[in-house]
Amino acid sequence: MAEPVLEARGLRKVYGDHVAVDGVDLALAPGGSLGIVGESGSGKTTVARMIVGLTRPTAGTIAVCGRDRSQPARGTAERRRRAREVQIVFQNPYASLDPRRSPADALDEVLRLHTDAGADERRARIAELGELVGLDERMLRARPRALSGGQRQRVAIARALAAQPRVIVLDEAVAALDVSIQAQILNLLADVRARIGVAYVFISHDLAVVRQIADETLVMQRGRVVERGPTEQVLDDPRDPYTRLLRASVPGPGWRPVRRGAPTTGGAT
Amino acid sequence: MSAPLLEVADLAVTLPVEGERRTVLHDVSLAIGPGEALGLVGESGSGKSMTARAVARLLPGGAAVTGSIRFDGTDVTALRGGELRAYRRSVAMVFQDPRAHVNPVRRIGDFLTEGLRLRGVARAEAARRAVAALADVGIPDGERRLRQYPHELSGGLLQRVMIAAALLAEPRLVLADEPTTALDVTTQSEVMAIIDELRRERGLALLFITHDLDLAAAVCDRIAVMYAGAIVEERAAAVLHDDPLHPYSAALAAARPAVDRTLPRLAAVRGRLVSAFEAPAGCAFAPRCAHAQDRCAAELPPLRPLDGGAVRCARAEELRGRLAPQEVAGG
Ligand SMILES: Nc1ncnc2c1ncn2[C@@H]1O[C@H](COP(=O)(O)OP(=O)(O)OP(=O)(O)O)[C@@H](O)[C@H]1O
Ligand SMILES: Nc1ncnc2c1ncn2[C@@H]1O[C@H](COP(=O)(O)OP(=O)(O)OP(=O)(O)O)[C@@H](O)[C@H]1O
Ligand SMILES: [Mg+2]
Ligand SMILES: [Mg+2]
């Protein structure tokens, strides 16, 4: 692959005596798209947080555009550059937005911080970003509390795009959207990638969505990568037993929910 | 269906926004019997969460409600004091966003056992039941989890804590707002199987809000589709996906990506979504509908019975059988 835009080696994170991430390697080509799927609690968000610098790895290295960022940034300029290069859209659209600030103000702040656009240009850019993710003027002026879950998530995506990053980490970014808006956002993400060559790390529990957006996919279980490969291969011909179980659990015609663990209610603990 | 446990009729809700009243729900009617599961799907912002919150009597301040919400025959819109508390014990809500509905400085254990303790269960027994409930939702190391704070849990773990809390309350009705979106599909399967069991064994009724039509089809008896504050179709879960009666339901089915093949492009619905308060006089979906005619913009049709379900589309009979998902996807 071309010089990777993002490369992580031996990533590890320990909380107390709990190993949340246990030796994860990953590489992302410029304009590439990497899916991460797997068990709930397997360390996907922790990996995402380490990539964007919100959580410090216990061990391992992370480089973006060839520059190491395993150590905390020194100085404002360095911090700002790191923030611009990698943006994140969180799993949870509620917590990630400032409740006192309208989406337009939030976008304006990002544009002021990361670009040298003047007021008029910023205003135009905000309208354009709103249009891009399907937020109208009224929604752009609303308080986050008055927006539905899916509307807030579009604000978060617009904010990530505003900084014109090299990598966007999307952690369950489309899970809160209805399928027609989700289709719109997935098409949009594909278009933006084709147009400006931004790369994605796309974390999701929805294997169909991952298939649509990611060229390569990692499968995580208990802090480790248990399988990796081209997305179609991982989904159509899973090798690892956990990947097979995951693939078999996707609802579809004829599917019924099943309980694997022994029932424990009322049992001795 | 036996006498419904929950019966919502002509529900409308307005909220005060910047000094004016804004409609968020304008016509919602639905019924759920004991042991029954009704799926609620639809556009983001169409009012699914508001519907659940209205039933749970947890609407934002200043909300004005018309229509009726009956639980076990009693209208709950006017309940107060002790009666309201008793009602709330029969109805459990699993919120769409657990992190916003849990106190960040309280341990998981206190959160899970609080209701049991109020009901007079001894501390050790309450903890034992909480650990068992966590094991039920696929969290084996319950004792450790009880000592943790919400920020120490992943999204899916916290969501399961919420489901465990709802089930520990032994409610008669669960309002589950996207309860499994933060879960991996294997865990989702387990959690849904537990809810299935409770429905069969204890007659638990379920309102299940989701964006996953395949999941709703598998775990629900019927599915209601919402658009701009109103229900536009209600059908048996088994037929909605393949034989939708409303063009919006068909568009939803067509927009879904597939796990077994990669599509060149997804079939998004053209046009911009509308909120209930800005919906035009006629059918709210008409501006985006490939099948709309002049009369669709003139008048909003009522939800009327058709093919064993109900639909709110003036052209439903004519379009019957022509809305299969493949056709829309190609169009
Ligand atoms: N701040 C923290 N303190 C202690 N433990 C933590 C902390 N953050 C995460 N963990 C633990 O690390 C593990 C991995 O969590 P993470 O959020 O990365 O999982 P995930 O794969 O994103 O799960 P999900 O699919 O449910 O979002 C979990 O067991 C979680 O409880
Ligand atoms: N506190 C509030 N004040 C005013 N309007 C609100 C408030 N909360 C929600 N709304 C509006 O009410 C409408 C319905 O919101 P609701 O949360 O029920 O949507 P939803 O169908 O659950 O959507 P999603 O699938 O995105 O969760 C939305 O248009 C939203 O903007
Ligand atoms: Mg996560
Ligand atoms: Mg909602």
Side-chain angles (χ1 to χ4, degrees), chain A residues 146 148-151, chain B residues 15 17 24 43-50 96 211:
Chain A
S148 79
Q151 291 163 349
Chain B
L15 291 175
V17 177
V24 289
E43 182 115 300
S44 164
S46 62
K48 303 179 295 295
S49 298
M50 280 297 160
Q96 181 170 6
H211 289 306

Side-chain angles (χ1 to χ4, degrees), chain A residues 14-255:
Chain A
V14 180
Y15 289 109
D17 54 6
H18 179 71
V19 182
V21 174
D22 190 6
V24 168
D25 299 326
L26 57 84
L28 182 60
S33 179
L34 175 71
I36 306 183
V37 303
E39 202 175 30
S40 162
S42 63
K44 302 180 299 296
T45 297
T46 307
V47 166
R49 292 179 60 92
M50 290 192 284
I51 290 172
V52 295
L54 291 168
T55 292
R56 192 148 168 210
T58 309
T61 59
I62 299 168
V64 173
C65 305
R67 281 184 293 270
D68 179 77
R69 52 163 76 192
S70 313
Q71 296 306 312
R74 268 194 231 124
T76 327
E78 168 71 5
R79 207 163 28 242
R80 220 176 256 188
R81 187 167 52 74
R82 285 190 189 183
R84 188 172 54 244
E85 282 170 352
V86 183
Q87 288 281 310
I88 185 162
V89 178
F90 280 107
Q91 189 162 9
N92 170 4
Y94 294 78
S96 61
L97 298 177
D98 180 344
R100 289 155 307 182
R101 204 169 261 185
S102 74
D105 290 345
L107 292 176
D108 193 57
E109 189 193 7
V110 176
L111 292 172
R112 262 185 299 144
L113 197 63
H114 291 306
T115 70
D116 34 1
D120 286 344
E121 197 185 334
R122 291 201 308 272
R123 212 168 302 125
R125 185 89 181 104
I126 290 167
E128 187 186 302
L129 286 163
E131 174 92 43
L132 212 57
V133 299
L135 291 168
D136 62 24
E137 186 61 25
R138 181 184 63 83
M139 294 175 192
L140 285 171
R141 302 271 155 228
R143 298 271 160 249
R145 194 159 25 140
L147 299 175
S148 79
Q151 291 163 349
R152 288 178 222 206
Q153 197 58 317
R154 279 177 276 157
V155 176
I157 291 171
R159 199 176 48 179
L161 290 171
Q164 296 182 295
R166 300 289 309 276
V167 177
I168 303 183
V169 179
L170 299 118
D171 188 355
E172 290 292 349
V174 299
L177 306 175
D178 76 71
V179 286
S180 81
I181 310 267
Q182 182 179 288
Q184 215 170 300
I185 298 280
L186 292 175
N187 287 341
L188 161 78
L189 289 173
D191 292 345
V192 171
R193 175 153 88 104
R195 213 169 64 216
I196 64 175
V198 61
Y200 301 136
V201 175
F202 194 92
I203 300 172
S204 177
H205 288 304
D206 190 329
L207 302 186
V209 163
V210 168
R211 180 169 195 130
Q212 200 60 29
I213 203 89
D215 306 334
E216 306 262 321
T217 292
L218 305 182
V219 183
M220 287 186 69
Q221 186 190 26
R222 292 192 206 111
R224 294 171 184 249
V225 175
V226 295
E227 182 156 1
R228 71 171 81 216
T231 304
E232 301 185 359
Q233 186 187 311
V234 170
L235 293 180
D236 292 341
D237 187 17
R239 298 295 163 90
D240 183 83
Y242 177 70
T243 315
R244 288 195 187 149
L245 176 65
L246 205 58
R247 178 64 187 80
S249 304
V250 176
W255 176 89

Side-chain angles (χ1 to χ4, degrees), chain B residues 17-46:
Chain B
V17 177
E18 286 153 22
E20 48 179 289
R21 296 220 68 88
R22 199 165 265 182
T23 301
V24 289
L25 295 180
H26 73 81
D27 191 358
V28 175
S29 299
L30 51 87
I32 310 177
E36 208 191 10
L38 175 70
L40 194 56
V41 305
E43 182 115 300
S44 164
S46 62

Side-chain angles (χ1 to χ4, degrees), chain B residues 10-330:
Chain B
D10 310 320
L11 177 68
V13 173
T14 63
L15 291 175
V17 177
E18 286 153 22
E20 48 179 289
R21 296 220 68 88
R22 199 165 265 182
T23 301
V24 289
L25 295 180
H26 73 81
D27 191 358
V28 175
S29 299
L30 51 87
I32 310 177
E36 208 191 10
L38 175 70
L40 194 56
V41 305
E43 182 115 300
S44 164
S46 62
K48 303 179 295 295
S49 298
M50 280 297 160
T51 300
R53 289 174 69 173
V55 171
R57 288 286 311 272
L58 291 171
L59 285 172
V65 178
T66 60
S68 71
I69 301 172
R70 305 184 82 79
F71 182 80
D72 215 3
T74 308
D75 194 330
V76 302
T77 53
L79 291 183
R80 298 161 148 264
E83 285 177 329
L84 179 58
R85 280 194 296 278
Y87 169 63
R88 284 199 176 131
R89 276 195 294 276
S90 318
V91 178
M93 176 120 181
V94 178
F95 288 99
Q96 181 170 6
D97 170 38
R99 254 181 243 281
H101 291 93
V102 53
N103 184 339
V105 298
R106 289 188 70 207
R107 290 177 198 271
I108 300 301
D110 294 333
F111 170 73
L112 279 177
T113 55
E114 143 182 80
L116 292 170
R117 300 280 290 132
L118 281 174
R119 272 152 51 199
V121 178
R123 183 181 300 275
E125 169 64 11
R128 195 192 66 80
R129 283 200 217 169
V131 168
L134 289 176
D136 270 350
V137 293
I139 303 180
D141 48 350
E143 267 121 22
R144 177 166 78 94
R145 299 299 181 186
L146 293 189
R147 291 191 302 271
Q148 288 187 308
Y149 290 97
H151 79 271
E152 298 176 315
L153 266 55
S154 76
L157 287 164
L158 192 61
Q159 197 166 41
R160 278 180 279 170
V161 167
M162 294 299 172
I163 295 168
L167 300 181
L168 275 171
E170 300 186 12
R172 296 170 68 193
L173 170 67
V174 169
L175 307 165
D177 196 350
E178 301 187 33
T180 60
T181 35
L183 303 182
D184 63 75
V185 283
T186 304
T187 310
Q188 164 173 280
S189 173
E190 262 176 80
V191 166
M192 291 320 300
I194 293 164
I195 294 178
D196 254 13
E197 248 169 60
L198 291 173
R199 285 174 49 204
R200 280 196 305 275
E201 290 165 11
R202 286 208 235 135
L204 178 75
L206 176 69
L207 178 71
F208 185 65
I209 300 176
T210 180
H211 289 306
D212 188 338
L213 274 182
D214 288 319
L215 178 63
V219 301
C220 296
D221 302 296
R222 289 172 299 120
I223 300 177
V225 182
M226 283 190 78
Y227 190 84
I231 289 182
V232 296
E233 175 164 1
E234 194 196 302
R235 298 293 292 291
V239 301
L240 178 74
H241 185 279
D242 292 325
D243 182 27
L245 289 176
H246 195 285
Y248 177 66
S249 317
L252 271 188
R256 175 87 185 116
V259 72
D260 52 3
R261 70 209 134 86
T262 314
L263 308 167
R265 205 162 175 81
L266 296 171
V269 186
R270 60 187 183 146
R272 181 178 76 75
L273 77 172
V274 288
S275 304
F277 78 93
E278 55 178 5
C283 168
F285 189 59
R288 305 170 70 187
C289 181
H291 305 277
Q293 295 176 338
D294 289 348
R295 64 179 155 142
C296 299
E299 199 183 2
L300 178 64
L303 190 68
R304 63 201 156 85
L306 185 67
D307 287 355
V311 64
R312 189 193 291 276
C313 170
R315 300 193 62 204
E317 285 84 356
E318 294 165 63
L319 295 173
R320 196 153 40 174
R322 288 172 48 200
L323 295 173
Q326 313 78 287
E327 200 194 336
V328 176

